[in-house]
Amino acid sequence: MIWHIPQYAWTLMAGIILLSYLIGSIPFGMLVSYIGGMGDIRQIGSGNIGATNVLRTGKKKLAVLTLLLDMGKGSFAIWCAYIFAINYTVQAESLAAILVVVGHCFPVWINFKGGKGVATGLGVSLALTPIAGLLSCIVWLLAARLSRISSIGGLSAFVAWPLFIMIFNHLDLKTPLLFPALLISLLIFFRHRTNIYRLSNGTEPRIGEKNQKN
């Protein structure tokens, strides 16, 4: 079972939980915006620290850099879990996957007011389940491009990711990595609850629009 971990190994798991949370808490959107001369990204557009809000500054390169760094920290947390807990990789990677996204959404450094988890979650999906993750990224890109709405891309990707995992595992609901995928997807949907409301009434802004709520 995924959570069958000997008592002596829980100290290691606690370290992975803390490390993953701290990795996720790095507010790359804020750092990139400051270094790029755009000031505090929290004072622009939606106030979110993610790539979509960075894009509203008009600096596409900064937005792409934010996206890549946020994805990278998701993958990096999984890699660290694999290295440090080689004998319990599924358990460690599952914990790392969940906590790095939690860290991005609720970073300790900025009063627990972070991003919505899509980029970091995609980075996790690529490292944790490469094929399902890649397909989910494709869904994200296609949905965002066709709708020109960032939230539709993100939400579509995290409907698709658990489904792809189940399909590749013959619809086995006991597939170990399905649990973290579902938990991350639920968290991302929770973080997008205002977006879902605006989607329902047709007021969700499109990609590239400035000074709009996201």
Side-chain angles (χ1 to χ4, degrees), residues 19-210:
L19 176 62
S20 300
Y21 173 78
L22 292 176
I23 291 171
S25 290
I26 301 172
F28 282 122
M30 283 185 61
L31 297 175
V32 166
S33 297
Y34 273 122
I35 295 171
M38 301 308 297
D40 189 347
I41 191 63
R42 295 173 296 176
Q43 305 303 316
I44 298 171
S46 68
N48 193 274
I49 64 169
T52 298
N53 201 41
V54 176
L55 183 62
R56 293 196 176 101
T57 66
K59 302 292 185 180
K60 292 183 178 179
K61 291 182 179 179
L62 294 183
V64 171
L65 180 59
T66 300
L67 174 67
L68 294 176
L69 288 171
D70 281 345
M71 290 180 71
K73 67 184 181 183
S75 295
F76 182 66
I78 302 300
W79 180 81
C80 288
Y82 175 79
I83 293 298
F84 293 130
I86 193 76
N87 294 323
Y88 303 98
T89 55
V90 173
Q91 296 93 330
E93 289 175 359
S94 296
L95 289 170
I98 296 165
L99 267 296
V100 72
V101 178
V102 169
H104 177 79
C105 294
F106 307 104
V108 64
W109 317 116
I110 50 176
N111 298 319
F112 304 101
K113 296 179 181 179
K116 299 194 174 181
V118 171
T120 303
L122 289 173
V124 165
S125 74
L126 287 169
L128 200 63
T129 57
I131 298 176
L134 178 60
L135 291 174
S136 299
C137 287
I138 293 171
V139 169
W140 166 63
L141 288 170
L142 288 175
R145 183 175 180 83
L146 291 173
S147 66
R148 294 190 60 243
I149 298 177
S150 177
S151 59
I152 287 181
L155 293 171
S156 298
F158 286 93
V159 169
W161 185 31
L163 289 176
F164 285 135
I165 292 174
M166 286 192 291
I167 289 169
F168 293 140
N169 288 278
H170 309 290
L171 302 181
D172 182 3
L173 296 180
K174 295 182 179 180
T175 299
L177 297 179
L178 180 60
F179 176 75
L182 285 172
L183 202 58
I184 290 167
S185 296
L186 288 173
L187 174 58
I188 287 172
F189 266 74
F190 173 76
R191 295 290 289 166
H192 280 81
R193 60 196 183 279
T194 56
N195 303 81
I196 293 170
Y197 173 77
R198 288 194 297 270
L199 285 169
S200 69
N201 61 27
T203 59
E204 180 74 339
R206 294 186 179 274
I207 294 171
E209 290 182 3
K210 298 182 179 181

